[in-house]
């Protein structure tokens, strides 16, 4: 879909239209793109389009989810007035899970760290379809997020995205960013033996286009459904999460994952990355330093 | 134990490499993206039409043909704005492009107003005259955009925008520009793909400001040379040393870097003195597409 920038009412109407179309195709779960209820390059509009989870718009989405489960992409305002780039999972008239984007790109054309608070957790959650996880766009460029989701028992990752088209190479029907994403999705699906439903938006905002190309990938890396590039599209695939079993029987890498090894090595690396860690006795030096500074004032 | 870490170099750079990176063109993909851009950005303003200044050159030809494909020929008006010294060939080429795109043209000669103005300032040099003509043309395009409820389509490419080789509030002005992120080499490739007549694609680029003028003679280097340099410098972020290692002459690198730096003002809004807590575009920040 192609949301209208900063117009939640218009985009909620688009949601309803898409949900009707999806129901006609017998879809049980619809994943909308990142920030598709608001548009992406919001800048100073973030606070004006933000929704509290008890707002009427959210109630409407809860109602809509009685028929079809859905993932909405929106700006979430918390009771203590923080604004998150969130994906909300609605099922059977209830909010079942909220994921707040952890990795907020703030480089190049991106400015998310300027406007959003940063999420601090990766959790899978139960749904009527099985154990799911939500990760938003840039989250997936950090392999730790999907690693954690997989270890937390997710069998499918739903990824709402607003990925801009950029980079042209010869001989391809899509831009470089699209191709990078497609290889990520397949690699992750195979590596972690899970399904990936990737929902990317289309349209332009101030000349920045979004490449569309949403896709559903099975745990063997096979493409179950693929949307058009650069055009609005709605794709449907029949997904049986139990199919992940087959893949995990054949390739039991997740079973063999050594969490203690990972934790130990991460703690060691964190210690090494600590400022001043190259010093022979970092803790002692750290304690001594403030005293020295006090003395010199 | 410490593993040997190889010295980091950007993608495409190898030690002692003498081959500059090649600019990708992928005209098929560019055509698809840019027509979608025009359709989306024009219609979300609640408008169906564009006007475009047709010079008979490759940049305005590509922009106009992309617009005709995106919006339909009936929604594009090409306006030819010759001065008395403009070449007849330019007008013929503009007409040939309009014939390919199937859109209408309008010819408005600017000689009378330009000459009337410079009667008072007869000592004005070529630069002043050229700038005045470029701005005169743009006021006419904007007038016709209001008359026809259209947007003004920009026709400046990335090479000239980076070099500052254009007139601020003249040919650099527009409501939207489909080719502003395309180097001249990419414009040429797209021109061939989209059906710009070979005579237009093949001719020497010229602002047609005076008889016999060509861009490359005025700039002192070819588009092929400077495109390759700018692509490596701007898009791939090669350092000065890496550019030289890739075979670009140090004085050429220095001169082009300087042109890019000195023309930065042309690519920015006017400087606003900050006094409030929220100053336009600095901390009062919204997209142009706000609410669209």
């Amino acid at each position: 879909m192609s949301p209208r920038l900063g117009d939640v009412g218009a985009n909620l109407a688009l949601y309803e239209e898409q949900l009707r179309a999806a129901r006609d195709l017998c879809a049980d779960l619809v994943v909308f793109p990142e920030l598709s209820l608001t548009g992406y390059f919001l800048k100073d509009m973030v606070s004006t389009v933000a929704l509290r989870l008890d707002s009427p718009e959210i109630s409407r989405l809860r109602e809509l989810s009685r028929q079809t489960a859905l993932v909405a992409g929106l700006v979430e305002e918390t009771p203590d007035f923080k604004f998150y780039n969130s994906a909300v999972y609605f099922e059977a008239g209830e909010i079942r899970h909220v994921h707040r984007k952890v990795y907020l790109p703030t480089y190049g054309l991106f400015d998310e760290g300027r406007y959003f608070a940063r999420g601090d957790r990766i959790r899978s959650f139960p749904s009527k379809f099985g154990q799911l996880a939500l990760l938003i766009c840039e989250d997936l460029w950090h392999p730790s997020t999907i690693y954690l989701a997989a270890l937390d028992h997710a069998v499918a990752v739903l990824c709402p995205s607003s990925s801009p088209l950029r980079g042209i190479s010869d001989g391809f029907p899509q831009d470089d960013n699209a191709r990078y994403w497609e290889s990520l999705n397949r690699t992750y699906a195979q590596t972690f033996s899970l399904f990936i439903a990737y929902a990317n938006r289309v349209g332009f905002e101030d000349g920045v286009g979004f490449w569309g190309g949403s896709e559903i990938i099975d745990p063997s890396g096979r493409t179950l459904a693929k949307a058009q590039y650069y055009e609005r599209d709605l794709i449907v695939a029949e997904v049986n999460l139990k199919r992940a079993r087959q893949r995990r029987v054949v390739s039991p890498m997740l079973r063999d994952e050594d969490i203690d090894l990972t934790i130990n090595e991460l703690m060691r690396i964190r210690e090494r990355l600590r400022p001043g860690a190259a010093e022979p006795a970092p803790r002692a030096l750290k304690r001594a330093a403030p005293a020295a500074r006090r003395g010199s004032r | 134990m410490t593993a040997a870490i190889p010295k980091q170099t950007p993608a495409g750079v190898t030690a002692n490499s003498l081959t500059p990176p090649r600019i990708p063109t992928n005209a098929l993909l560019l055509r698809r993206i840019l027509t979608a851009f025009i359709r989306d950005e024009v219609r979300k303003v609640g408008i169906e039409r564009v006007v475009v200044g047709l010079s008979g050159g490759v940049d305005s030809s590509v922009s106009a043909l992309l617009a005709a494909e995106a919006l339909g020929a009936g929604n594009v008006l090409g306006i030819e704005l010759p001065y008395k010294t403009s070449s007849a060939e330019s007008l013929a080429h503009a007409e040939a492009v309009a014939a390919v795109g199937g859109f209408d043209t309008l010819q408005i000669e600017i000689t009378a107003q330009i000459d009337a103005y410079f009667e008072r300032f007869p000592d004005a040099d070529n630069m002043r005259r050229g700038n005045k003509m470029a701005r005169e043309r743009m006021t006419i395009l904007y007038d016709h955009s209001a008359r026809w409820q259209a947007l003004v389509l920009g026709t400046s490419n990335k090479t000239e925008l980076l070099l500052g080789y254009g007139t601020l509030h003249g040919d650099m002005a527009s409501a939207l520009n489909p080719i502003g992120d395309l180097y001249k080499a990419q414009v040429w490739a797209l021109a061939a793909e989209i059906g710009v007549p070979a005579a237009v694609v093949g001719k020497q680029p010229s602002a047609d400001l005076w008889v016999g003028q060509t861009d490359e003679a005025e700039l002192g280097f070819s588009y092929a040379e400077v495109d390759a340099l700018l692509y490596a410098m701007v898009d791939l972020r090669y350092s000065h040393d890496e550019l030289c290692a890739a075979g670009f002459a140090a004085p050429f690198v220095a001169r082009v870097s300087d042109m890019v730096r000195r023309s930065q003002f042309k690519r920015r809004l006017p400087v606003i003195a900050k006094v409030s807590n929220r100053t336009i575009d600095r901390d009062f920040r919204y997209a142009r597409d706000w609410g669209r």
Side-chain angles (χ1 to χ4, degrees), chain B residues 127-146:
Chain B
M127 190 195 72
R128 280 178 60 191
R129 287 172 190 274
N131 281 344
K132 176 69 178 156
M133 286 180 220
R135 292 184 178 123
E136 192 67 38
R137 290 184 170 116
M138 196 48 70
T139 64
I140 293 168
L141 292 180
Y142 270 92
D143 178 53
H144 282 271
S145 79

Side-chain angles (χ1 to χ4, degrees), chain A residues 2-7 41-45 111 114-115 165 167-175 203-208 228-231, chain B residues 22-27 29-30 32-41 44 186 231 278 281-292:
Chain A
S2 175
R4 182 185 286 244
L5 184 60
D7 190 340
F41 289 107
L42 293 163
K43 303 189 181 200
D44 282 2
M45 275 183 280
D111 231 358
R114 182 182 172 96
Y115 298 106
L165 75 90
I168 297 288
S169 294
D170 289 321
F172 296 100
Q174 73 288 73
D175 58 285
F204 287 81
E205 290 182 7
D206 277 19
V208 179
Q228 298 180 74
Y229 299 115
Y230 317 116
E231 307 276 347
Chain B
R22 206 179 58 79
I23 299 180
T25 47
N26 201 338
L29 178 55
L30 287 176
R32 182 167 191 190
I33 292 170
L34 299 178
T35 49
F37 159 81
I38 294 170
R39 209 177 293 125
D40 200 306
E41 292 287 13
K44 75 169 70 163
Q186 295 171 311
Y231 178 65
R278 276 184 96 202
D281 245 36
R282 185 168 296 281
D283 34 29
F284 176 87
R285 295 156 55 107
Y286 295 90
R288 276 172 69 118
D289 287 352
W290 188 357
R292 296 186 191 280

Side-chain angles (χ1 to χ4, degrees), chain B residues 3-273:
Chain B
I5 297 168
K7 202 180 159 204
Q8 295 276 311
T9 50
V13 183
T14 52
N16 304 318
S17 166
L18 291 174
T19 316
R22 206 179 58 79
I23 299 180
T25 47
N26 201 338
L28 271 173
L29 178 55
L30 287 176
R31 180 180 191 166
R32 182 167 191 190
I33 292 170
L34 299 178
T35 49
F37 159 81
I38 294 170
R39 209 177 293 125
D40 200 306
E41 292 287 13
V42 170
R43 289 187 181 159
K44 75 169 70 163
V45 183
I47 276 179
E48 290 289 324
R49 299 189 280 226
V50 297
V51 295
V52 54
L54 272 191
S55 70
V58 70
D59 296 324
S60 61
S61 301
V62 166
S63 299
L65 290 181
L66 285 170
E69 188 169 315
L71 305 169
N75 289 317
V76 177
L77 178 63
I79 304 186
E80 300 155 357
L81 299 152
Y83 180 66
K84 64 188 176 194
T85 58
S86 299
S87 81
E89 191 192 47
S90 299
L91 288 176
H93 285 161
E95 285 301 324
V97 169
V100 170
F103 55 84
D104 288 341
T105 59
L106 184 63
Q107 195 181 116
I108 304 166
E109 192 170 326
I110 61 168
T111 307
Q113 54 259 55
I114 295 295
D115 286 354
Y117 177 78
F118 283 113
E119 259 173 41
R120 283 192 59 193
F121 307 100
D123 59 335
D125 60 11
N126 274 342
M127 190 195 72
R128 280 178 60 191
R129 287 172 190 274
N131 281 344
K132 176 69 178 156
M133 286 180 220
R135 292 184 178 123
E136 192 67 38
R137 290 184 170 116
M138 196 48 70
T139 64
I140 293 168
L141 292 180
Y142 270 92
D143 178 53
H144 282 271
S145 79
R147 171 176 165 261
W148 204 44
Q149 286 143 29
L151 294 181
V152 174
L153 197 66
T155 61
S156 298
N157 63 59
K158 188 171 187 174
T159 310
E160 57 193 17
L161 285 173
L162 283 170
L163 296 175
Y165 192 60
T167 301
L168 190 56
H169 311 305
D171 52 298
M172 290 178 78
S174 68
L176 74 162
N177 178 350
I179 64 164
D181 204 17
L182 269 56
Y183 290 105
K184 191 81 175 184
Q186 295 171 311
V187 175
W188 273 320
L190 184 55
E193 159 69 24
I194 205 167
V196 176
V200 177
V201 184
K203 71 178 173 182
Q204 278 280 322
S206 169
D208 204 7
L209 292 176
W210 56 88
V211 178
Q213 185 229 10
T214 69
D215 293 356
E216 294 186 343
E218 200 182 357
L219 289 164
F221 43 72
S222 73
Y223 275 109
E225 289 169 311
V226 80
D227 273 359
L229 173 59
L230 288 170
Y231 178 65
M233 183 191 286
V234 174
D235 288 67
L236 304 180
R237 304 190 76 154
Y238 281 26
S239 69
H240 184 278
D241 289 347
E242 287 160 350
L243 290 168
C244 293
F248 297 104
F252 180 45
V253 174
R255 176 160 176 238
V256 170
S257 308
D258 203 45
M259 289 176 80
V260 172
R261 183 181 57 75
R262 278 189 292 112
S263 59
Q264 177 63 5
F265 75 96
K266 292 190 178 184
R267 294 181 290 269
R268 305 287 305 172
L269 283 179
V271 181
I272 294 175

